Amino acid sequence: MQNARDEILRHIGEGACGSVWAAPTGSENTRAVKREDGGKWRSIYNDFVMHREIIQTLSASESSVHIPACYEYIKADDFAWWDERITMFPTKQQERCNVLITERIPPFPQAVRDAIVDLCCPGSLRATIKASEANKDCLIRLYLGRRRRFETNSKFHGFTLRNFPLQQDQVEALGLDGAQYARIMAGTLAEFYWSANIDANDVEFVLAPSRANRSLESGSHKSAGTIFRSHVLGEHVLWVLDFDCCKRMPLDEAGVEQAVKAFYKNDPYFPRPGRDNVNDQALWREFRECFLEKSNIILGHEGPEARLPTLWLEMVEQRCRK
């Protein structure tokens, strides 16, 4: 890891699989370290294998989504690695465990963070949130499948910019291109299913800056990507990450059922069918059309597998009516 032995890493996130660490703010070290210190049923090794396969598959196409580079998988019993690097973790996190080293997704800069806080945070918390070191690690989870519920009597006063949930009504209010986000998600999902044969279970889609002028190393996804420009968010792209729950799927009806379950099990990143809101209905049509278009490019119009994308859509739409 570049500069890793000279820097104490700071905690930048937490998930079911484990904790995530990176170099101090301002460092030239652009790698993230995911420790397998979370749920025992989650596997960083599976994350590593799926991540590499997805990069390889999507790099062969004109994918518009960004994927963090995937560098190394380190075992807990790799004593040579740990003996040299264990002190880069704070004292309480120096227990050896399996580790995955990837590219760190760049967080939004302060001007964007402050704008989000001014627009979305309760007034009494704004100064505290802006000054918080943890909130410098700002990525935005894009929830095109959910709108906020406004509760005037709510006593909840929490707010964080880490994995900030941007929901569809906020996408509209900020004038962001929700339809284009939906198209990229749809095309990415089609590539997961029909090119990589992976069910996309529990993956995340986040908005963040692009990797800009970072040099690409081995293990990188060489995507041109689609760059969005926004008055509030500035230049940003759509990233997909977290592959530890992904599984291979057969290209048959059982595989389609597996993919549908994963679609509804995940957080509401994707548009949903069957909504009453006319904007949500239009967004689903956009997603549906792009998913079919990309799927047909991958699978063609003939042969037993050509019917699977339509079957997937039918099952997704049928499930929302139950």
Side-chain angles (χ1 to χ4, degrees), residues 1-12:
M1 288 182 60
Q2 90 189 60
N3 300 332
R5 304 176 198 185
D6 303 323
E7 297 174 314
I8 295 180
L9 303 183
R10 55 183 292 270
H11 181 258
I12 64 167

Side-chain angles (χ1 to χ4, degrees), residues 32-59:
V33 181
K34 181 186 285 189
R35 293 172 54 93
E36 193 177 72
D37 52 10
K40 296 183 183 299
W41 63 94
R42 306 293 279 263
S43 169
I44 277 184
Y45 180 70
N46 188 65
D47 196 343
F48 172 71
V49 172
M50 293 289 105
H51 195 155
R52 282 289 182 96
E53 289 190 14
I54 289 161
I55 285 176
Q56 183 177 9
T57 299
L58 270 66
S59 291

Side-chain angles (χ1 to χ4, degrees), residues 6 9 25 32 70 142 219 226 232 248 266 317 320:
D6 303 323
L9 303 183
T25 303
C70 183
L142 182 62
T226 298
V232 175
R248 293 182 178 85
N266 204 350
E317 291 170 342
C320 83

Side-chain angles (χ1 to χ4, degrees), residues 171-221:
V171 170
E172 294 169 356
L174 294 178
L176 300 174
D177 194 348
Q180 182 63 8
Y181 296 146
R183 286 191 287 269
I184 294 175
M185 285 185 182
T188 301
L189 208 55
E191 290 186 281
F192 267 73
Y193 293 165
W194 321 127
S195 294
N197 305 154
I198 291 173
D199 63 6
N201 187 28
D202 207 35
V203 299
E204 297 183 15
F205 286 87
V206 301
L207 301 179
S210 72
R211 59 172 55 95
N213 296 322
R214 291 182 184 176
S215 59
L216 287 173
E217 305 175 44
S218 176
S220 298
H221 173 234

Side-chain angles (χ1 to χ4, degrees), residues 256-269:
V256 171
E257 291 179 359
Q258 177 182 335
V260 170
K261 289 179 181 178
F263 178 86
Y264 275 109
K265 181 182 177 182
N266 204 350
D267 286 356
Y269 298 104

Side-chain angles (χ1 to χ4, degrees), residues 76-95:
D77 61 2
D78 187 340
F79 297 109
W81 190 92
W82 277 104
D83 286 346
E84 291 188 0
R85 296 170 175 85
I86 197 165
T87 55
M88 68 185 182
F89 294 99
T91 304
K92 292 182 179 181
Q93 276 75 36
Q94 289 185 0
E95 180 180 355

